[in-house]
Amino acid sequence: MVKRPTINDVARRASVSKSTVSLVLRNSPLVRPGTRAGVHRAMAEIGYVYNRPAANLRSANAGLVGLVINDLRNPFFTEFATSVQMDLAARGYAVVVANTDEDPVLQAQVVSAMIEHGVSAFMISPVFGRDDTTFASLARAGTPTLQVLRHVAPEAGRFPFAAPDYPSGSRLATEHLTRSGARTVAFVGGIEDWSVTKERTAGWRAAMAAAGQEPLFLGGRPGRAFGREAAFRLTTLHPEVDGVVCFNDLVALGLLSGCAEIGRKVGHDLKIVGFDDIEECAQAWPALTSVRCDVAGFATQMADTLHRWIDKGIRPVAELRTPVELVIRASSGG
Amino acid sequence: MVKRPTINDVARRASVSKSTVSLVLRNSPLVRPGTRAGVHRAMAEIGYVYNRPAANLRSANAGLVGLVINDLRNPFFTEFATSVQMDLAARGYAVVVANTDEDPVLQAQVVSAMIEHGVSAFMISPVFGRDDTTFASLARAGTPTLQVLRHVAPEAGRFPFAAPDYPSGSRLATEHLTRSGARTVAFVGGIEDWSVTKERTAGWRAAMAAAGQEPLFLGGRPGRAFGREAAFRLTTLHPEVDGVVCFNDLVALGLLSGCAEIGRKVGHDLKIVGFDDIEECAQAWPALTSVRCDVAGFATQMADTLHRWIDKGIRPVAELRTPVELVIRASSGG
DNA sequence: CTGAAAGCGCTTACAG
DNA sequence: CTGAAAGCGCTTACAG
């Protein structure tokens, strides 16, 4: 509202040139301690605040990062986005975020807007579907862009990708269920077209094949509602299923809720494993066995990767997979 | 990475002056349709993208809004923040967000950073506690700032505030429980110092007083973990309690989980009401009765309020309360 | 170590 | 309707 004091006002107040003030601002060793102190005093006195966009016009490094997420209301992504934001803030970046709600048009819009705002880099968990306008803009702008958690852009070299090792996760889950005595293990949740669904079912399919079992896949929107619905469907249509690997924890928690409603004992005649290990898993009853992806740790790693790319020019590897582990709790009879 | 084309490049390509290009950019009616078309063609051909920070240096309106939230991982705030972000995006703003994790120091840091980045306005759900540095910075910068959901800044005139009508919510909840036959209604969760706790207990206290009952308040961190713990504590130490109003839905859902574990029937010998009505309430088993604050609708209203403040200079009223309603489900025996 | 000048990409009067 | 000039708040060579 009120016009902010500028570098010129500081210079006048401290009786130096504005170049000197600029040097002080940028912590140059060239300026004498006494001068520096005087400048700092002047800044405090007149309430000077640095104008980053202006500085950025001449130099570079906007200190702004774009974070674009397909479904921010899903606790898995919430945790990821929040952790990334906080980690980047600790490194001095401001984060402009957008939820794309699995909508390719919205995604293209927010990405364009962020490019106009001059973000230094992007971290994106993209929507699926044949829409290249987003990545075309990104390529044209040349902004460093890291795909996380899911990938869609074809040129992996241009848009490096990192995610937890989903296939291993579902393999671990399935083997655990089989070892615990489950005879028929279904996979519940996930949209079949999505690459992430292919990855999350891969380990389960492999384990099923190894055990000589016919894989039963129940696809659906990965939320609680579908999980609840699946509880009824499984019990009615597939009573032989005694083990379930879920696409994510929301589906598993919905399944738990549905089983509670129909009075089906989870952990005994039906063993359930979730995916992601969101915080709620440990608080549920029965507590939910899940594939721990360590989102918070993954987020920290990604924040660091992006920071090194922007600041030090260190390009991330084209594809990175981080290890997952199975956390066994009551829902799988553990 | 690659230097973006500028307004000058467009001008050269379209054989006009850069002033004309600027006018086209700003949709001025002054420029002839033919000229305008030529400029647009040139922009497309060379892949011009508008440089907002540069424009902002001369004019105003950064098109950037700061969203500062005390606990982004809490689904209530997640829903709020996500809705606000999407609504503001629809109005052409980019949103830089930060989670402060109830930490006043972090809050002061991110607010300063956002001021440096030149955000046009703030929407803040502040941390509690005696820390004025955040609001002092805000006041000094003169950036329009709307307090939402919680308030802490003393000068309401300077920092308008808006939130759902919490007191009415707990009154509705308590009356409903009493009417449903509960004899002893406790309040569970919430840090006693927080103003929001005072507000959320107010209606309950009033209803208790009206019913001539002694109020039992069990304070604690408003999360699932505390809710679970409370289930055990209530059953052991306060077996007479047959109705509970919770600080928020997370506490209520934790309570549900704890009751499931100890085999206590919710909705019959213990009736529970949550607060906020997050999406999960309807998916829980038993489904959770809750005070609906309509976060999404509230968010839309706040986005609109902020937009009118920034764009049209219409100051919000000093304090706004939005109506709440009780959504009755199985957990309260409804 | 410090200052004067030019320039970053845009917008804003001001002429024409 | 269109163009030349100045200026937004900073940084960057370049002198001194």
Side-chain angles (χ1 to χ4, degrees):
Chain A
M1 297 276 88
V2 233
K3 229 170 128 313
R4 318 209 294 212
T6 78
I7 207 184
N8 274 310
D9 302 318
V10 177
R12 208 169 306 123
R13 177 92 183 196
S15 311
V16 296
S17 81
K18 65 172 184 165
S19 314
T20 304
V21 177
S22 178
L23 290 175
V24 170
L25 246 27
R26 320 197 40 255
N27 263 312
S28 163
L30 293 180
V31 44
R32 197 193 316 154
T35 313
R36 173 186 309 281
V39 169
H40 275 134
R41 194 172 331 108
M43 294 196 302
E45 284 166 2
I46 65 178
Y48 172 74
V49 8
Y50 188 59
N51 184 332
R52 270 172 176 283
N56 186 43
L57 192 53
R58 192 69 175 86
S59 61
N61 209 325
L64 246 197
V65 168
L67 181 60
V68 179
I69 303 286
N70 58 290
D71 182 9
L72 262 183
R73 293 183 240 248
N74 176 324
F76 176 65
F77 293 105
T78 305
E79 171 66 34
F80 174 75
T82 305
S83 298
V84 165
Q85 182 272 309
M86 295 187 75
D87 289 334
L88 285 175
R91 287 179 168 75
Y93 297 94
V95 179
V96 25
V97 353
N99 179 35
T100 56
D101 244 16
E102 308 287 6
D103 179 346
V105 176
L106 246 182
Q107 178 176 270
Q109 281 171 3
V110 299
V111 164
S112 292
M114 290 183 188
I115 292 174
E116 287 192 356
H117 279 284
V119 300
S120 308
F122 279 97
M123 197 176 307
I124 182 171
S125 174
V127 305
F128 290 118
R130 208 46 272 136
D131 164 74
D132 337 84
T133 67
T134 294
F135 285 93
S137 306
L138 252 13
R140 215 178 312 114
T143 314
T145 299
L146 184 59
Q147 289 184 89
V148 289
L149 301 173
R150 320 161 128 201
H151 62 314
V152 57
E155 331 159 48
R158 221 181 192 329
F159 304 106
F161 168 63
D165 184 0
Y166 301 135
S168 294
S170 61
R171 185 178 45 72
L172 288 173
T174 311
E175 289 171 356
H176 161 66
L177 287 174
T178 309
R179 219 179 304 113
S180 306
R183 319 289 324 241
T184 313
V185 180
F187 191 100
V188 173
I191 309 295
E192 207 151 4
D193 295 343
W194 293 359
S195 64
V196 67
T197 305
K198 294 194 177 89
E199 294 182 15
R200 289 191 168 198
T201 51
W204 162 74
R205 285 193 198 279
M208 288 286 90
Q213 286 189 27
E214 192 63 27
L216 170 66
F217 174 75
L218 240 66
R221 281 259 146 207
R224 291 177 203 269
F226 177 72
R228 274 177 64 79
E229 187 190 320
F232 309 130
R233 266 216 267 163
L234 278 179
T235 304
T236 316
L237 304 175
H238 308 283
E240 77 282 8
V241 170
D242 54 359
V244 178
V245 178
C246 295
F247 176 82
N248 66 11
D249 291 327
L250 293 182
V251 170
L253 291 163
L255 205 50
L256 246 49
S257 170
C259 286
E261 179 164 359
I262 59 186
R264 194 158 177 200
K265 268 269 184 279
V266 169
H268 303 274
D269 51 306
L270 185 62
K271 297 180 199 299
I272 298 176
V273 181
F275 215 114
D276 296 339
D277 196 35
I278 62 176
E279 218 190 319
E280 189 181 341
C281 294
Q283 307 292 338
W285 183 256
L288 184 63
T289 295
S290 190
V291 176
R292 180 163 164 68
C293 293
D294 185 22
V295 231
F298 179 76
T300 302
Q301 204 177 333
M302 292 305 101
D304 195 56
T305 301
L306 204 67
H307 171 237
R308 287 173 23 185
W309 193 358
I310 302 172
D311 243 58
K312 310 185 166 59
I314 302 173
R315 256 193 97 81
V317 295
E319 180 167 341
L320 172 73
R321 291 290 175 166
T322 59
V324 300
E325 59 177 325
L326 190 68
V327 179
I328 297 173
R329 300 197 183 87
S331 72
S332 62
Chain B
M1 300 281 85
V2 233
K3 230 169 127 316
R4 317 208 298 209
T6 77
I7 207 184
N8 274 311
D9 302 319
V10 177
R12 207 169 307 125
R13 178 92 184 196
S15 312
V16 297
S17 80
K18 65 173 183 163
S19 315
T20 304
V21 177
S22 178
L23 289 174
V24 170
L25 247 27
R26 320 197 38 256
N27 263 313
S28 162
L30 292 179
V31 45
R32 199 193 314 154
T35 313
R36 173 187 309 280
V39 170
H40 276 135
R41 193 172 333 106
M43 294 197 300
E45 283 166 2
I46 65 179
Y48 172 74
V49 9
Y50 189 56
N51 184 332
R52 270 172 177 284
N56 186 42
L57 191 53
R58 193 71 174 85
S59 60
N61 209 325
L64 246 198
V65 168
L67 181 61
V68 179
I69 303 286
N70 57 290
D71 182 8
L72 262 182
R73 294 182 239 248
N74 177 324
F76 176 66
F77 293 105
T78 305
E79 171 67 32
F80 174 74
T82 304
S83 298
V84 165
Q85 182 272 310
M86 296 187 75
D87 289 334
L88 285 175
R91 286 178 169 74
Y93 297 94
V95 178
V96 24
V97 351
N99 179 34
T100 55
D101 243 17
E102 307 288 5
D103 179 346
V105 176
L106 245 181
Q107 178 176 270
Q109 281 170 3
V110 299
V111 164
S112 291
M114 290 182 187
I115 293 174
E116 287 191 357
H117 279 284
V119 299
S120 308
F122 279 97
M123 197 177 305
I124 181 170
S125 173
V127 305
F128 289 119
R130 206 49 270 137
D131 164 75
D132 336 85
T133 68
T134 293
F135 285 94
S137 306
L138 253 13
R140 215 178 312 113
T143 314
T145 299
L146 184 58
Q147 290 184 90
V148 289
L149 301 174
R150 321 162 128 199
H151 62 315
V152 57
E155 331 159 48
R158 220 179 194 326
F159 304 106
F161 166 63
D165 184 359
Y166 301 134
S168 294
S170 61
R171 186 178 46 73
L172 288 173
T174 310
E175 290 172 355
H176 161 67
L177 288 173
T178 309
R179 220 180 304 114
S180 307
R183 318 290 323 244
T184 314
V185 179
F187 192 101
V188 173
I191 309 295
E192 208 152 3
D193 295 344
W194 293 359
S195 64
V196 67
T197 306
K198 293 192 178 92
E199 295 182 15
R200 288 190 170 199
T201 51
W204 163 75
R205 285 192 199 281
M208 288 286 91
Q213 287 188 28
E214 191 64 26
L216 170 65
F217 174 74
L218 242 66
R221 282 259 145 206
R224 291 177 204 271
F226 176 72
R228 274 177 63 80
E229 188 190 320
F232 310 130
R233 266 215 265 164
L234 278 180
T235 305
T236 316
L237 305 177
H238 308 283
E240 78 282 8
V241 170
D242 54 0
V244 179
V245 178
C246 295
F247 176 83
N248 67 11
D249 291 328
L250 293 182
V251 170
L253 291 163
L255 205 49
L256 246 49
S257 170
C259 286
E261 178 164 359
I262 57 185
R264 194 158 176 200
K265 267 267 183 281
V266 169
H268 304 274
D269 50 307
L270 186 63
K271 297 179 199 300
I272 298 176
V273 182
F275 214 116
D276 295 339
D277 196 36
I278 62 176
E279 219 189 319
E280 188 182 343
C281 293
Q283 307 292 338
W285 183 257
L288 184 63
T289 295
S290 190
V291 176
R292 182 163 164 68
C293 294
D294 184 22
V295 230
F298 179 76
T300 301
Q301 205 176 334
M302 292 305 101
D304 196 55
T305 302
L306 204 65
H307 171 236
R308 286 174 23 186
W309 194 357
I310 302 172
D311 243 58
K312 309 184 167 60
I314 303 173
R315 256 193 97 80
V317 295
E319 179 166 342
L320 173 73
R321 292 289 174 167
T322 60
V324 301
E325 59 178 326
L326 190 69
V327 180
I328 297 173
R329 301 197 182 88
S331 72
S332 62

